[in-house]
Amino acid sequence: MKTKIAVVLAILSFLSMMSLVGWVFSLHGARGLFHVEYISRLAMMILIIISIVPLLLVIIRKVSRKPDRFQVWIIVSSFVLLVIPIFTFGYLNGYFLQSAFDSTPRLTVTSGTGAHGIPDVAIIFESKSPYRHSLTWGTQAFVTTITEERSNTRHVFVLSDLEPGTEYRYRIDNGSDFRFTTPDPALSLRFAVGSDSHFGAGGSRPDLVRKMLNQIMIPQNKYDYFFILGDIVEYGFVNNQWQEAFKAFSETLSSIPAKFSAGNHDTLFTGIRSYRQYLHPPEVEIDSGNFLWHRFDVGDIHFIILNVEWSAESITEAQLKWLENELQNIPKNDWTIVLNHGFYYASGSTIRGWNWFDNPETINRITPLLEKYDVDIVFSGHAHQMEILEKAGITYVITGAFGGVPDDTRTYISPASLWYTSGKYGYVDVTIEPDIAKIIFRDPDGLEINSYNIQK
């Protein structure tokens, strides 16, 4: 009887471990993780090898002169391997970590464009307990109140038909007053771009992130938007890291509308659920594309958000077809700007067996379309450095220095590179005028590191 139980446990533990492996491989971002990170591939191979240990012990027991000794090891190892999938599944789904929390309102640029050519803005925040909130918003001349239809822990209000160059005020229930000002793209558009803050990672610098956020939110700087190109957190499936990030970003995002692209760390494994819930909730309708790739327009300035995470794994045929359709409908004389996490051209070095520089996979998949339809600027992160590159008439800007551990100094110099620096933290300050784009790299104190102009 004990022998049968040991054999059954060995089989069940093996099937359980194989189910875990299959489930992990099916999750968003896993393909890119195992493609780029050889350590992850090695860990998965070790996991698969361990899963067959009880079955091997069963075979050894049959030929052993002391079978009882091996029977104990079969039962013990089987129980361990039955626990591992349960713990891993629970951890990656956030069952052992705090989930609900209260957050302050954050302004998010939507893909919808109002009657005056200005993108709609969504106000998003969370509450620990379900509640039915009201939003009062408007200008000095007009104020309206919206009340949610039902109680919820996620709250979304969409402000539509915003007028250019106008200050809007809003408050939740009887709380504090917040305000933001819409851009006037006929004159200029000013925005900040940052990537790779990596909240929750050892060695990251949340203190410098807060310092840069304070610079961005200074009213005198008059930033219209703030674009965050992914890897906000180290592990997107760890809810506490999102909470830490939102505490840091809260004051800035309550007064400057932000737009996000997905980073490989944000969406890793089950993190894609949190990424959507917090940054692109289903309540915010998308005119074209989906929550990972879409377009929004600010007058004659057109922004394309793409889903490029690890490498080319997240670049689907559907996304490419959508991208070409959107690009061919943009007038050639207008500004076209692409925003995504993963880079195309970049300097760098080989890290853990992967070449973190000019990426032939993303280059071959996307840049032919960018060149065909005269895209002007591409902003990316992923590489923790600052760099300007130019290829086939397109300017590529790497801005992955927003708090994560800086990359080592490059050992490979991209032929497209015009300027590069590493070991520093910073963000990009961009002003778009009808015939010129002014790009300024700034340090955490807001001081200029380098600048570059692009003529239209």
Side-chain angles (χ1 to χ4, degrees):
M1 184 67 179
K2 289 183 179 180
T3 301
K4 289 183 178 180
I5 292 175
V7 172
V8 169
L9 285 175
I11 294 173
L12 287 176
S13 66
F14 174 75
L15 294 176
S16 178
M17 291 292 288
M18 289 301 97
S19 297
L20 172 65
V21 170
W23 177 70
V24 168
F25 270 105
S26 72
L27 295 175
H28 184 93
R31 182 181 172 191
L33 172 66
F34 295 120
H35 177 50
V36 173
E37 293 281 356
Y38 85 86
I39 292 179
S40 299
R41 296 196 298 273
L42 179 62
M44 187 58 69
M45 289 174 60
I46 292 173
L47 197 64
I48 293 172
I49 292 171
I50 290 174
S51 69
I52 66 175
V53 167
L55 294 176
L56 289 175
L57 291 174
V58 168
I59 296 172
I60 294 172
R61 180 190 177 281
K62 286 188 176 182
V63 299
S64 173
R65 294 181 179 180
K66 297 180 179 180
D68 291 343
R69 178 188 301 174
F70 286 97
Q71 186 163 291
V72 172
W73 283 109
I74 291 169
I75 293 173
V76 171
S77 60
S78 296
F79 270 117
V80 170
L81 295 184
L82 284 170
V83 170
I84 288 176
I86 295 172
F87 176 82
T88 303
F89 181 81
Y91 177 69
L92 293 182
N93 278 285
Y95 296 154
F96 308 134
L97 300 167
Q98 180 180 348
S99 54
F101 62 93
D102 293 319
S103 67
T104 55
R106 54 187 179 275
L107 303 173
T108 300
V109 184
T110 77
S111 68
T113 301
H116 306 288
I118 301 298
D120 297 338
V121 171
I123 299 175
I124 305 169
F125 61 98
E126 291 76 31
S127 58
K128 285 185 178 179
S129 303
Y131 196 84
R132 187 183 177 200
H133 287 283
S134 294
L135 170 77
T136 300
W137 74 284
T139 64
Q140 288 185 333
F142 175 79
V143 176
T144 186
T145 298
I146 307 171
T147 302
E148 292 178 297
E149 295 181 357
R150 61 183 65 87
S151 297
N152 208 335
T153 56
R154 180 175 66 237
H155 311 278
V156 180
F157 297 92
V158 179
L159 313 184
S160 303
D161 294 331
L162 303 174
E163 297 186 8
T166 302
E167 182 183 78
Y168 288 90
R169 302 183 181 188
Y170 69 95
R171 69 174 180 271
I172 307 300
D173 301 326
N174 294 317
S176 302
D177 286 332
F178 300 96
R179 64 185 66 189
F180 69 97
T181 301
T182 55
D184 187 349
L187 300 176
S188 66
L189 178 70
R190 188 179 187 187
F191 56 88
V193 188
S195 184
D196 296 84
S197 53
H198 286 273
F199 278 90
S204 63
R205 294 293 304 271
D207 57 324
L208 294 183
V209 175
R210 293 183 177 90
K211 201 170 187 180
M212 289 183 277
L213 290 170
N214 288 337
Q215 289 294 326
I216 292 169
M217 67 172 290
I218 292 175
Q220 293 87 340
N221 287 336
K222 296 183 178 179
Y223 286 109
D224 298 305
Y225 296 126
F226 178 28
F227 300 140
I228 306 168
L229 306 185
D231 284 2
I232 297 173
V233 296
E234 180 70 1
Y235 299 119
F237 55 86
V238 179
N239 209 60
N240 293 13
Q241 294 183 4
W242 287 105
Q243 184 174 357
E244 181 186 358
F246 287 140
K247 285 181 179 179
F249 280 88
S250 61
E251 192 172 1
T252 303
L253 299 190
S254 65
S255 59
I256 300 177
K259 194 66 176 177
F260 309 88
S261 66
N264 52 294
H265 283 261
D266 300 324
T267 65
L268 185 61
F269 298 140
T270 58
I272 192 169
R273 295 199 303 242
S274 295
Y275 174 81
R276 184 171 197 191
Q277 174 183 340
Y278 297 137
L279 304 181
H280 294 280
E283 292 87 348
V284 179
E285 295 183 1
I286 297 172
D287 287 355
S288 176
N290 60 34
F291 73 99
L292 289 171
W293 31 275
H294 45 269
R295 165 185 166 181
F296 65 100
D297 305 313
V298 188
D300 295 334
I301 306 169
H302 310 278
F303 293 91
I304 302 287
I305 301 289
L306 292 181
N307 182 36
V308 184
E309 298 177 23
W310 285 99
S311 184
E313 298 80 17
S314 56
I315 305 171
T316 62
E317 290 300 321
Q319 183 178 184
L320 290 175
K321 183 178 180 180
W322 169 86
L323 174 61
E324 181 161 25
N325 182 67
E326 294 300 321
L327 290 176
Q328 66 187 2
N329 290 322
I330 295 176
K332 186 174 181 178
N333 292 330
D334 288 1
W335 286 97
T336 304
I337 299 171
V338 170
L339 303 161
N340 59 240
H341 180 68
F343 57 80
Y344 304 90
Y345 299 98
S347 300
S349 57
T350 300
I351 303 175
R352 296 189 295 275
W354 181 261
N355 294 333
W356 286 84
F357 45 78
D358 289 347
N359 187 335
E361 297 181 11
T362 54
I363 289 171
N364 294 337
R365 292 277 282 170
I366 290 185
T367 60
L369 286 177
L370 306 183
E371 294 170 9
K372 179 179 179 180
Y373 293 102
D374 299 311
V375 167
D376 296 291
I377 314 171
V378 177
F379 291 95
S380 302
H382 202 37
H384 295 187
Q385 62 197 40
M386 293 180 278
E387 188 170 15
I388 296 176
L389 310 98
E390 187 175 294
K391 183 72 174 181
I394 301 174
T395 299
Y396 294 85
V397 181
I398 307 294
T399 175
F402 205 70
V405 178
D407 289 342
D408 293 334
T409 302
R410 63 184 178 183
T411 57
Y412 168 87
I413 301 175
S414 171
S417 183
L418 300 179
W419 173 83
Y420 160 93
T421 188
S422 66
K424 297 180 180 180
Y425 297 90
Y427 61 98
V428 179
D429 173 356
V430 185
T431 301
I432 305 291
E433 298 176 357
D435 59 353
I436 190 172
K438 301 175 182 178
I439 298 174
I440 302 174
F441 289 85
R442 296 191 182 278
D443 70 9
D445 293 311
L447 301 177
E448 181 177 323
I449 300 174
N450 193 34
S451 62
Y452 184 76
N453 292 338
I454 303 170
Q455 297 290 334
K456 184 62 177 173

